[in-house]
Amino acid sequence: MQNSDIISTVEFNHTGELLATGDKGGRVVIFQREQESKNQVHRRGEYNVYSTFQSHEPEFDYLKSLEIEEKINKIRWLPQQNAAYFLLSTNDKTVKLWKVSERDKRPEGYNLKDEEGRLRDPATITTLRVPVLRPMDLMVEATPRRVFANAHTYHINSISVNSDYETYMSADDLRINLWNFEITNQSFNIVDIKPANMEELTEVITAAEFHPHHCNTFVYSSSKGTIRLCDMRASALCDRHTKFFEEPEDPSNRSFFSEIISSISDVKFSHSGRYIMTRDYLTVKVWDLNMENRPIETYQVHDYLRSKLCSLYENDCIFDKFECVWNGSDSVIMTGSYNNFFRMFDRNTKRDVTLEASRENSKPRAILKPRKVCVGGKRRKDEISVDSLDFSKKILHTAWHPSENIIAVAATNNLYIFQDKVN
C-alpha cells in the first residue's frame, strides 16, 4: 500500500447519488450510484467510479522552506443547480472549486478547421458548412473553476458551505475566513484567536461548520473541548461568541491526558439544526443549542482505551482525529474507532453496536456481525481482547447517505459501502 492511497475524506452529495473521496495523494475519486434496472431490482445501490481527477499537487513554500502536502483534507458538495456538479476540495493551504460535467456529443463540420482541429487554408474554403452535434462516448470532465489561495498562514482543517450557497468558510488553527464563491482574491476574516504574543496561545480551532438553515450562524470547536456558536449579525469579527458550550470536568477523572483527550476533533450540526454533535478522543456528545452547560447525551466510543492512554500517547494514536456523522433523520450517529471498528448509537433506543469493516467479512451482501471487546478477565469465544486490537487500522472518516441507510466507511486505503438489508 502506498501512503498516497490513504483515504483522507469521504462525502456524499445532497442527493446521495454521488460519493466523493479524497486521498493523501491529492486525488479525488467520485462514485456514482447505479440506476435501478427493471430486471434487477435489488441491484440499485451499487456505487461505481464516475470520475477521478488530481485536485492538488505537492507544492513548496520557498519563503518558509516548507513542503505543502497535496493531501485532501476535506470535500464539500454544493447543491446541484443544473446538469453539472460542483464541489470544494482543500489541502492545507488552498481551496479549489471543481465543476464535474458530462459530455456525450461533439460538434463536427467546422468551417475554419478540419476534423483534426487544424486550421484550413482560407483559399480552399468554397462552401459554408452547418456544424452538427454527433453522439460520442460519455466523457466526464472535471475542471477547476476557482482557486482560493493565499489566505491561510496555518493548516486548513475545515470548509463549510453556507446555506445561502453564495459563501463558504475555511478554518485553520487560529482563523476562520469567509469567502464568496465568485471572488478568489479576497476573503473576510470572521474569527481570529491569534494572541499578540504566541507564547500565550492556549488553544487552537479544530473544526468549524455553518448552521444548515441560518446563514448567519456557525460553530467552531477547540482543542480545549469547548464549542463556540457565533452570529455574524452581531459583528463582522466574531471574536465574541454568542453561546459557549462546555462541560465542566469531573475532578476525579483528571489525569495527565485529560487535556489531550478532551480536544474536539469534529463538530457537526444535526440536519434539523437543533443539535450539535462533537467527537473527542473517547466520546461522542450531543448538545442542544439551547443548553450550554452540558451535553444532553454522551456516548462512550471505546471506553476500554482509558487504561491504555499511556501507550496510545507513545505511539501518537492519542492525537488521531476521528470524525462523526448523523443519519438522515438525526436518530442515529456513527463514528470510527481502531481495529477497523466503527460504532453506531441509536439515540431513541439507546442501543449501540460495534461493526467491523475488513476484507475478511466484506463479501457482497454479507451481513455484518456485531463485535465485542472485552477488558481483562475471561474472554468469550466471539470477543476480542483489548490487548489484541490493531491501532494501525483506524476508521477516521465516515459518511452517511442523506436519506437512506447507506454508509461509506474509509478504512485506511479501502472504501467500504454498507447498506441496510432490504426486506
Side-chain angles (χ1 to χ4, degrees), residues 36-200:
E36 199 165 358
S37 57
K38 294 246 173 8
N39 46 9
Q40 292 180 303
V41 182
H42 68 277
R43 287 272 304 181
R44 172 154 173 76
E46 301 222 341
Y47 284 82
N48 294 318
V49 175
Y50 175 66
S51 172
T52 304
F53 58 93
Q54 189 72 28
S55 172
H56 288 68
E57 303 279 354
E59 291 173 67
F60 192 78
D61 182 337
Y62 291 97
L63 286 173
K64 299 193 177 121
S65 295
L66 280 177
E67 283 184 56
I68 300 168
E69 281 186 25
E70 65 272 40
K71 172 187 163 216
I72 309 290
N73 292 345
K74 286 282 186 287
I75 290 172
R76 290 289 178 262
W77 291 90
L78 276 68
Q80 196 178 354
Q81 310 283 355
N82 52 26
Y85 301 99
F86 287 88
L87 61 89
L88 287 172
S89 64
T90 185
N91 68 347
D92 284 341
K93 296 289 179 196
T94 305
V95 184
K96 294 185 182 181
L97 175 68
W98 289 88
K99 177 185 182 182
V100 182
S101 53
E102 295 183 357
R103 267 225 326 249
D104 60 355
K105 295 183 179 64
R106 70 164 186 266
E108 279 180 13
Y110 289 108
N111 288 290
L112 302 175
K113 295 180 188 161
D114 63 14
E115 300 312 324
E116 269 76 60
R118 291 186 299 263
L119 282 173
R120 292 165 63 189
D121 178 8
T124 64
I125 301 173
T126 54
T127 56
L128 276 177
R129 296 193 287 186
V130 178
V132 289
L133 286 171
R134 294 248 185 275
M136 57 176 249
D137 288 343
L138 178 69
M139 236 175 77
V140 180
E141 295 176 305
T143 46
R145 296 308 299 271
R146 305 264 190 283
V147 176
F148 305 89
N150 306 322
H152 286 277
T153 314
Y154 309 98
H155 291 347
I156 298 173
N157 55 46
S158 305
I159 47 176
S160 179
V161 178
N162 198 347
S163 58
D164 62 11
Y165 306 138
E166 288 178 16
T167 55
Y168 77 90
M169 69 176 165
S170 55
D172 67 25
D173 294 336
L174 299 181
R175 295 195 177 105
I176 301 177
N177 292 331
L178 181 70
W179 301 83
N180 186 303
F181 279 112
E182 301 300 320
I183 302 166
T184 59
N185 59 356
Q186 75 178 93
S187 62
F188 293 96
N189 181 223
I190 51 173
V191 172
D192 185 350
I193 64 166
K194 185 181 178 189
N197 177 4
M198 281 295 266
E199 286 175 11
E200 292 164 11

Side-chain angles (χ1 to χ4, degrees), residues 7 13 41 47 51 54 75 81 87 125 129 162 205 221 225 248 254 260 277 282 288-289 318 328 349 375 398:
I7 298 172
N13 75 338
V41 182
Y47 284 82
S51 172
Q54 189 72 28
I75 290 172
Q81 310 283 355
L87 61 89
I125 301 173
R129 296 193 287 186
N162 198 347
I205 298 166
S221 58
R254 178 112 192 109
I260 303 174
M277 164 167 58
L282 294 177
D288 189 317
L289 280 195
I318 201 166
T349 63
V375 187
T398 58

Side-chain angles (χ1 to χ4, degrees), residues 265-297:
S265 54
D266 196 16
V267 59
K268 291 265 170 54
F269 270 105
S270 62
H271 296 81
S272 67
R274 168 88 195 254
Y275 304 103
I276 322 170
M277 164 167 58
T278 59
R279 170 73 210 257
D280 56 40
Y281 191 65
L282 294 177
T283 66
V284 174
K285 298 185 169 106
V286 176
W287 304 76
D288 189 317
L289 280 195
N290 302 321
M291 189 164 96
E292 299 169 60
N293 58 344
R294 60 188 168 88
I296 53 167
E297 296 156 30

Side-chain angles (χ1 to χ4, degrees), residues 371-383:
R371 317 291 296 200
K372 281 208 163 43
V373 177
C374 72
V375 187
K378 294 189 78 156
R379 184 168 70 88
R380 291 208 192 94
K381 154 167 97 52
D382 56 345
E383 289 185 335

